[in-house]
Amino acid sequence: GGIGFVVDFGTLNLLQSTILKPVPDSPLPIILATTIAFTSAITSNFIWNRYWTYPDSRSRSVAKQVTQFFVVNIAGWFFRLAIVTLLYSPFGALAAETLNSLQPGTVTTAAFQDQLGTNMAQALAVVIVMFWNFFVNRYWTYNDVE
């Protein structure tokens, strides 16, 4: 999970700092960046779960297991996307107001404000979706492991 978190937030911030910078009044770059970050993280998580966390699960076919894992995570992605899309703007405004009250001029662009909001909304979404993904994968995808 920790590695997935690093992959997720690292990918998100790399994308938002380079090719998918937030654009005011357009959630599309945020949706794309968070989707790519999520896909990178769940791919990493699947590999680590199959070969490290639940090595006994390799008695199942990889095709069946990857299908189950991705079905569970696609549902988690919908939850996460809804949370991030709904909350990035208000969280960004709150973060900008707070940071600028502590140190005036810290947040000077709408894009930076949206990036802060995306990180805050994503942090909340990751915590919520992490529980969904863990429990459903543990008891469905990896139910053959004692």
Side-chain angles (χ1 to χ4, degrees):
I3 293 171
F5 180 85
V6 170
V7 169
D8 197 338
F9 276 82
T11 303
L12 174 70
N13 283 288
L14 178 65
L15 290 170
Q16 286 196 317
S17 296
T18 57
I19 61 173
L20 288 173
K21 292 181 181 189
V23 176
D25 301 322
S26 175
L28 184 59
I30 290 167
I31 290 169
L32 290 172
T34 195
T35 298
I36 293 167
F38 183 77
T39 304
S40 300
I42 65 168
T43 301
S44 169
N45 287 347
F46 177 78
I47 292 166
W48 283 107
N49 281 334
R50 183 158 170 92
Y51 293 101
W52 177 287
T53 309
Y54 304 115
D56 297 342
S57 73
R58 287 182 272 170
S59 61
R60 277 197 182 157
S61 83
V62 71
K64 180 178 181 180
Q65 205 169 50
V66 78
T67 301
Q68 288 176 297
F69 191 81
F70 275 83
V71 165
V72 170
N73 284 281
I74 291 298
W77 172 74
F78 279 114
F79 299 145
R80 173 181 158 149
L81 198 56
I83 292 166
V84 171
T85 302
L86 291 172
L87 296 178
Y88 82 90
S89 185
F91 279 11
L94 177 65
E97 182 180 324
T98 302
L99 290 172
N100 284 334
S101 72
L102 296 171
Q103 179 69 42
T106 302
V107 181
T108 58
T109 66
F112 183 49
Q113 178 175 315
D114 286 347
Q115 187 172 359
L116 286 171
T118 303
N119 274 277
M120 292 171 63
Q122 182 155 316
L124 175 63
V126 164
V127 170
I128 293 168
V129 173
M130 174 182 62
F131 287 104
W132 159 264
N133 286 348
F134 174 78
F135 285 107
V136 177
N137 274 313
R138 177 63 185 102
Y139 294 105
W140 184 48
T141 309
Y142 300 109
N143 67 358
D144 59 331
V145 177
E146 303 252 346

